[in-house]
Amino acid sequence: MEEDEIEHTEEENVNEETTEEMNSDFEYKDIKDLPGVGSTIASKIRNAGYQDIIALATANPLVLVEACGIGEPTARKIVAEAREASKMNFMSGLEFEDKRKSVQRISTGSEALNILLGGGVETQSITECYGEYGSGKSQIAFQLSVDVQLPLDKGGLEGHAIWIDTEGTFRPSRIEQLAAVKGLDPKQALQNIKIGRAYSSDHQVLLVDKIPELINADPKIRLIVVDSMMALFRAEYVGRGTLADRQQKVNVVLHNLQRLADRFNVAVYITNQVMARPDVMFGDPTAAVGGHIIGHVATYRIYLRKGKKGSRVGKLVDSPSLPEGEASFEITSNGIMDIDEEKKK
Ligand code: GTP
Ligand code: MG
């Protein structure tokens, strides 16, 4: 069962919320309900990558002009209407505080890394992990997918996970191994993870759009992994001079993920491979192509690098609420672990 597609459920209406306790003030109007948009234009808007009003509210009207064959004034009006419609997102400071109270955390396996993140990977947020090949981005995803299943006092949420695999690197055997270490039934642990293998960036967009349906069918889902976020976009848009298009589309996916995180109180963990760039002499030598666009959306960004003696070092970058800092940990056959101080001596 290496590449199990995300299951299609019977549910027809994706917009129907069953987890009412989350953001019940959030109204989901359909794009076609906006003034001046019929079902034809609505479907063109969706084809252009804007799946809902929130995404449309952040669209560049000029992109709509081209994608929908409409005039610029109409495009501007549609985007303005979408912005107006999404204003109902505002909540009072008190409501905001209440919502923050429901934030929970999933253990990464390493206490040092958890502390760096303020207690673990947070629900209602996107945590982006970027770094070179082999730095441990996927290994953290494996660990989170197992740890989310643990009881609360063991760093978990007694939850399930969704894993969007864009590189074909999901390994069931690794999940089974880590589950056994944590005293979980390995087959059951695997059963609790829904894997969607994305074969193109469009497919990746579709799989993300399917997530509300999956969570409605299984409200225990508390973690969404996208490993990796950018690989397909990077591969497909190489040298095509359409960087702006690509970034628009990536942005739509990221906003959809953030909305899912808020709406369902789930944690979103995405990975992003960056290559050391020898051509860059000054500044950040690992600045990611397309990396900055993720940086604006992700709440937590961890830069991972290989450290001494096979260790890994995670650095928290640009966090709004936590101090910058570093944490060292190890990747072992038993999973992500704190560095054994005894062994270092
Ligand atoms: P890319 O996807 O290539 O960008 O890399 P990544 O950052 O996702 O790397 P990944 O998380 O796959 O880390 C791979 C590294 O984890 C390997 O090079 C090993 O060092 C380590 N690793 C993976 N499995 C094991 C294991 O069973 N035992 C030990 N000791 N290390 C492991
Ligand atoms: Mg990987």
Side-chain angles (χ1 to χ4, degrees):
M1 207 201 61
E2 185 137 341
E3 291 172 358
D4 199 356
E5 289 281 314
I6 279 182
E7 282 170 14
H8 293 235
T9 68
E10 307 291 24
E11 220 102 52
E12 276 297 330
N13 191 350
V14 182
N15 292 330
E16 210 139 81
E17 281 203 270
T18 56
T19 34
E20 277 299 326
E21 68 275 19
M22 298 309 306
N23 284 359
S24 48
D25 56 333
F26 206 114
E27 192 178 322
Y28 288 93
K29 261 169 92 179
D30 196 78
I31 291 175
K32 72 172 182 331
D33 300 329
L34 290 173
V37 183
S39 45
T40 315
I41 292 184
S43 89
K44 283 180 182 166
I45 290 174
R46 277 198 206 89
N47 287 341
Y50 306 101
Q51 298 299 328
D52 56 47
I53 288 183
I54 310 291
L56 186 58
T58 63
N60 177 349
L62 296 179
V63 174
L64 291 188
V65 169
E66 207 165 306
C68 308
I70 51 178
E72 196 182 322
T74 313
R76 289 195 183 282
K77 185 162 178 294
I78 291 173
V79 172
E81 290 287 356
R83 286 189 184 155
E84 191 58 36
S86 47
K87 268 197 197 145
M88 51 193 66
N89 269 335
F90 280 102
M91 56 177 98
S92 74
L94 211 55
E95 286 168 326
F96 187 82
E97 187 186 57
D98 270 353
K99 183 161 172 283
R100 284 292 304 171
K101 278 189 197 144
S102 56
V103 166
Q104 292 172 290
R105 291 182 177 80
I106 306 166
S107 171
T108 60
S110 151
E111 202 46 45
L113 189 55
N114 288 346
I115 290 168
L116 184 73
L117 289 166
V121 168
E122 215 179 70
T123 63
Q124 297 177 28
S125 291
I126 298 180
T127 300
E128 179 204 352
C129 186
Y130 69 104
E132 276 187 78
Y133 74 94
S135 54
K137 306 178 292 294
S138 299
Q139 287 301 319
I140 292 176
F142 284 116
Q143 191 71 60
L144 290 170
S145 302
V146 169
D147 284 10
V148 71
Q149 304 188 33
L150 296 172
L152 269 77
D153 62 354
K154 297 277 185 328
L157 301 176
E158 283 172 35
H160 298 168
I162 289 176
W163 183 303
I164 295 181
D165 178 11
T166 70
E167 298 179 315
T169 48
F170 180 79
R171 291 284 168 269
S173 59
R174 184 62 170 158
I175 293 290
E176 292 184 292
Q177 189 182 16
L178 298 180
V181 171
K182 298 281 175 163
L184 297 170
D185 172 17
K187 294 291 176 207
Q188 187 57 48
L190 211 43
Q191 181 67 31
N192 292 341
I193 305 171
K194 289 262 179 298
I195 302 111
R197 171 78 163 99
Y199 293 96
S200 68
S201 62
D202 285 329
H203 193 193
Q204 185 176 339
V205 171
L206 283 177
L207 291 177
V208 170
D209 288 344
K210 274 253 164 239
I211 292 177
E213 232 177 283
L214 290 184
I215 301 182
N216 280 334
D218 176 9
K220 288 191 92 172
I221 289 168
R222 304 304 307 283
L223 170 72
I224 300 167
V225 168
V226 184
D227 186 30
S228 81
M229 178 65 210
M230 294 295 294
L232 293 168
F233 286 96
R234 210 168 269 156
E236 287 168 34
Y237 286 81
V238 134
R240 276 170 48 187
T242 49
L243 223 56
D245 285 358
R246 177 184 87 176
Q247 300 214 328
Q248 276 272 6
K249 214 163 149 189
V250 170
N251 224 359
V252 170
V253 176
L254 289 169
H255 280 108
N256 284 343
L257 287 168
Q258 179 60 58
R259 215 192 65 190
L260 289 168
D262 282 333
R263 183 178 167 196
F264 296 110
N265 197 18
V266 298
V268 175
Y269 174 84
I270 64 179
T271 69
N272 188 14
Q273 196 197 61
V274 293
M275 274 164 279
R277 289 172 52 184
D279 55 316
V280 179
M281 303 297 281
F282 300 101
D284 181 1
T286 57
V289 184
H292 65 282
I293 201 156
I294 293 190
H296 293 308
V297 179
T299 323
Y300 297 100
R301 306 188 73 205
I302 312 164
Y303 172 55
L304 267 198
R305 63 173 199 274
K306 295 173 192 169
K308 283 184 197 143
K309 295 185 182 164
S311 71
R312 297 296 192 278
V313 182
K315 181 179 183 200
L316 191 66
V317 185
D318 305 330
S319 164
S321 53
L322 293 173
E324 290 208 347
E326 291 194 338
S328 299
F329 60 91
E330 276 181 327
I331 309 171
T332 72
S333 49
N334 287 345
I336 306 287
M337 305 259 155
D338 280 328
I339 290 174
D340 188 343
E341 294 297 328
E342 286 304 309
K343 226 171 59 186
K344 276 203 303 195
K345 286 174 191 161

